Amino acid sequence: MLRPLLMNLEEILGQRYQIIGRLPAWLESHQRFVLQNPASTSERWILSYCVPEQPMSPESLLKQQRLIEIMTKPPVALLCRVIEADIQPDYQLVISEMPGEQTLRELLQQRKSLSIDEAEAFLRMLTEACESAALQGWPRLPIDMAHLYLDGRIGLPRVAVPDVPIFDESNVVAPVEARDYVKPLAALCCEFLGHPQSLRGGNVLYQSISQLATGQNAVLRRALTNEDRMEYSGARIFMNQLFTAFDGVTPAEKMRTLTETMSSEDRQVISADAVTVRFTVPAVRQTSSTASGSAPLLVLPADREMAATMLPIKRLRLLPDSEDAPVFTLVNDEWLTMGRSAAEADFIAQFRPRSNVNDGRSRRISRAQTRLQLRDGRLIIEENGAVNPSLYEGAIIHEKLEVHASDSFMLAGLYPMDARYVASDYKSGREIRDWPKPDVTPMKGALIISAGGSGVFLCEAAMIFSDVGLHFSKSGRPWFRAETNTRPVARIHVIAGLFWMEPVEANMIARLGGAKSKRHELILMHDGNKLRIGPYGYTVQNFL
């Protein structure tokens, strides 16, 4: 039982932090509080505080210190980290990021339930956090409604940093595996859909959820009642089974859908999922698109040296590790090409899901059907000899057509396309610290190309004239299209003929296998390097 040492705690915190509230406990041995910086009331943190009944042994302190070192450098998918810690024989104090202003419990009190698509977006985000925590050896994450928060910037959930166990006889912690999160995630799914299940005493009398198909209810019931739960080697496998039980399509089948319609050279270029699902999630917090100001951009010495040896790059493709994330194509050229071939087109146009009908529709699109160009503020659509010509406002496009910079048309007469010019947030070039030549050229933004409907391959392309913002959609996927007045999590720039990524929200962007990302510290994008955008891993690839 903890001794009431709040006065001593305030002495330990000193003048840097002020306790302004109490949070629900996670481990029984710990207390949790909300901290505030007296000089900046907008900044808040979570304090985990523990006073053991007996002084902690040197072995226990060493284990805690090692664990805290891991938790200060988390993978991006966790979206939470320890800021600082003070571990002494007679107390433990750990300060971590505050994930959001509203817990999911408070959200559900307002909303009563989420839609099935919202629930999937939330659960897949949390699943990636659970998988990452298990892989890194973190303590068990607090996967319950009281410890999960809504991040208003991206409209998706974030988990709070768990308490660090003190490793005494009463607080022995078994290794946490990814499969250990199956039951908590299953319980969350029920709560998200407005049908919480009773878990008292480990016994569950499962009540079917009307929003789910019979197969999905069967998957949830097995997970909650421990029936065949050991069949899941990880939380991700359980989640894939839960959300493919509706249509009977397995993740492996989904991953095969793209490569089966490609030539051998296409298959070397890309492999990704191609099923579009539309979601609606609570509105993203309204912020100024220029909230980050015009801070100078920084370049690491290693990237500076590599850039000096590289030739200009016309095209890059970002290939996702996950079947749920879109493919991105970046173009620094006069023309952008659209067609069904991943080897010949910048924007990949294929219908999904796979079926005889959709395969036939995809084959109506030429391998490289249409070229786009932005000239003098107008969009030029060019086609030469297409078997199935594209349509604009119902009329066939003959060779070349000039339309508005932001407009729509039907590729091959049946594939809806949206082209949208997006101006830069900046009027003139960004300052790059210690760069050989100042960038003083006007910032001209980008032309974004995307599909205008669902049931298509997940792909977005951008012809980048200066920079383009990378946002998160309400579904939790990254994309170039911004919700109204929201700040991007990153920007992609073309500087000196090369592509660079600027982290705006540093905890959402990471360079895997390298230095930790910092705000406004440019990441050179080149063939083979790996990035993480939110919970999704990406590999950069040159093509064409």
Side-chain angles (χ1 to χ4, degrees):
M1 183 176 179
L2 294 173
R3 299 193 298 271
L5 294 180
L6 193 56
M7 291 181 61
N8 288 358
L9 175 57
E10 291 176 341
E11 291 176 4
I12 296 171
L13 293 173
Q15 300 298 316
R16 293 181 303 153
Y17 301 105
Q18 176 184 1
I19 297 175
I20 61 171
R22 184 183 289 270
L23 294 171
W26 176 236
L27 296 180
E28 292 182 0
S29 54
H30 290 61
Q31 298 180 77
R32 294 169 76 87
F33 303 92
V34 181
L35 299 183
Q36 179 178 279
N37 184 341
S40 177
T41 57
S42 62
E43 294 184 272
R44 296 186 178 183
W45 299 270
I46 291 178
L47 166 65
S48 173
Y49 183 55
C50 174
V51 179
E53 293 187 0
Q54 300 295 330
M56 293 181 283
S57 67
E59 292 79 9
S60 172
L61 296 175
L62 181 60
K63 290 180 180 179
Q64 294 174 55
Q65 290 287 3
R66 288 174 176 170
L67 193 53
I68 287 171
E69 287 178 8
I70 295 173
M71 296 169 68
T72 58
K73 301 175 182 179
V76 176
L78 276 164
L79 298 180
C80 63
R81 66 187 178 97
V82 170
I83 302 296
E84 62 178 282
D86 185 6
I87 308 298
Q88 302 295 335
D90 55 347
Y91 70 85
Q92 178 204 90
L93 182 151
V94 178
I95 298 174
S96 60
E97 293 177 327
M98 188 78 183
E101 297 180 358
Q102 184 183 39
T103 66
L104 294 192
R105 173 175 290 172
E106 294 169 332
L107 173 67
L108 264 294
Q109 287 173 348
Q110 299 172 1
R111 294 278 308 278
K112 302 304 181 184
S113 68
L114 305 179
S115 72
I116 182 65
D117 293 330
E118 292 170 343
E120 180 179 0
F122 277 38
L123 289 166
R124 287 196 181 276
M125 194 86 164
L126 295 172
T127 296
E128 293 304 315
C130 293
E131 290 279 349
S132 295
L135 183 63
Q136 297 291 320
W138 277 46
R140 184 184 298 274
L141 294 181
I143 302 296
D144 65 29
M145 301 291 282
H147 295 91
L148 296 172
Y149 293 78
L150 182 69
D151 188 335
R153 297 168 301 176
I154 60 175
L156 289 169
R158 290 179 62 183
V159 62
V161 167
D163 297 325
V164 176
I166 59 177
F167 296 101
D168 65 3
E169 293 182 358
S170 63
N171 199 342
V172 176
V173 178
V176 179
E177 299 180 0
R179 69 175 60 182
D180 296 328
Y181 291 107
V182 169
K183 189 170 185 177
L185 288 170
L188 271 183
C189 180
C190 297
E191 291 192 75
F192 286 166
L193 298 175
H195 293 268
Q197 307 290 331
S198 173
L199 305 178
R200 293 180 181 178
N203 296 318
V204 181
L205 182 61
Y206 183 75
Q207 298 180 348
S208 295
I209 298 175
S210 58
Q211 298 98 309
L212 299 180
T214 301
Q216 291 174 301
N217 275 297
V219 171
L220 271 184
R221 180 180 56 79
R222 288 199 304 270
L224 290 169
T225 59
N226 294 324
E227 292 180 20
D228 301 324
R229 188 158 54 95
M230 295 302 291
E231 72 181 83
Y232 304 117
S233 59
R236 190 180 295 121
I237 292 176
F238 159 70
M239 200 58 57
N240 284 336
Q241 183 171 343
L242 175 62
F243 287 106
T244 55
F246 182 79
D247 53 16
V249 181
T250 68
E253 289 170 339
K254 286 186 175 182
M255 290 299 290
R256 287 197 298 269
T257 57
L258 178 63
T259 56
E260 289 177 353
T261 59
M262 291 183 174
S263 63
S264 58
E265 63 267 27
D266 290 345
R267 294 173 188 173
Q268 296 173 4
V269 175
I270 185 171
S271 176
D273 177 52
V275 179
T276 295
V277 182
R278 295 215 175 258
F279 300 99
T280 53
V281 179
V284 178
R285 181 187 305 169
Q286 303 291 304
T287 59
S288 170
S289 61
T290 58
S292 59
S294 55
L297 301 173
L298 310 175
V299 180
L300 291 176
D303 282 349
R304 189 188 306 273
E305 293 176 9
M306 179 177 288
T309 66
M310 295 174 62
L311 296 174
I313 296 176
K314 295 294 186 181
R315 287 167 169 80
L316 281 182
R317 186 164 273 158
L318 274 64
L319 306 181
D321 297 340
S322 168
E323 61 185 48
D324 299 312
V327 171
F328 292 108
T329 301
L330 313 178
V331 177
N332 175 28
D333 203 354
E334 185 178 1
W335 293 92
L336 185 150
T337 305
M338 299 180 299
R340 76 168 189 271
S341 170
E344 300 180 29
D346 301 310
F347 180 90
I348 306 167
Q350 295 183 13
F351 286 97
R352 290 296 184 267
R354 284 291 306 279
S355 67
N356 290 336
V357 173
N358 279 343
D359 288 352
R361 295 169 75 200
S362 294
R363 286 192 293 270
R364 288 176 57 87
I365 304 169
S366 301
R367 297 174 63 83
Q369 166 113 10
T370 307
R371 298 203 308 170
L372 299 181
Q373 182 185 49
L374 196 65
R375 184 190 305 161
D376 299 327
R378 302 282 288 177
L379 180 67
I380 309 299
I381 306 174
E382 181 181 286
E383 283 193 1
N384 289 312
V387 176
N388 299 291
S390 297
L391 304 178
Y392 177 75
E393 295 184 346
I396 292 176
I397 297 175
H398 295 284
E399 294 188 356
K400 188 178 292 186
L401 179 68
E402 181 178 313
V403 299
H404 299 292
S406 296
D407 218 324
S408 302
F409 62 98
M410 297 293 287
L411 185 67
L414 75 167
Y415 198 101
M417 295 299 310
D418 289 334
R420 184 160 65 93
Y421 172 71
V422 180
S424 174
D425 288 335
Y426 302 92
K427 295 182 179 179
S428 60
R430 298 284 299 278
E431 176 189 352
I432 306 175
R433 190 167 296 172
D434 300 325
W435 195 253
K437 294 182 180 180
D439 184 5
V440 295
T441 57
M443 304 288 278
K444 298 181 180 179
L447 179 69
I448 297 172
I449 309 300
S450 57
S454 59
V456 296
F457 177 65
L458 292 178
C459 181
E460 288 204 344
M463 182 184 291
I464 304 176
F465 309 114
S466 62
D467 65 315
V468 65
L470 190 62
H471 300 253
F472 271 90
S473 70
K474 290 183 178 181
S475 70
R477 294 189 181 105
W479 63 354
F480 291 130
R481 294 163 286 177
E483 306 294 343
T484 305
N485 296 325
T486 58
R487 186 171 69 173
V489 298
R491 287 188 181 88
I492 298 175
H493 298 262
V494 173
I495 301 172
L498 301 175
F499 293 99
W500 304 76
M501 181 173 287
E502 172 198 358
V504 178
E505 299 289 345
N507 64 341
M508 299 290 288
I509 305 295
R511 178 199 324 239
L512 302 186
K516 185 178 180 180
S517 300
K518 298 179 181 178
R519 287 189 68 194
H520 311 305
E521 187 175 80
L522 292 174
I523 299 172
L524 177 61
M525 302 172 70
H526 58 85
D527 189 50
N529 70 337
K530 294 183 179 294
L531 306 170
R532 184 162 287 277
I533 304 171
Y536 300 107
Y538 277 87
T539 300
V540 180
Q541 184 182 73
N542 288 347
F543 81 106
L544 295 181

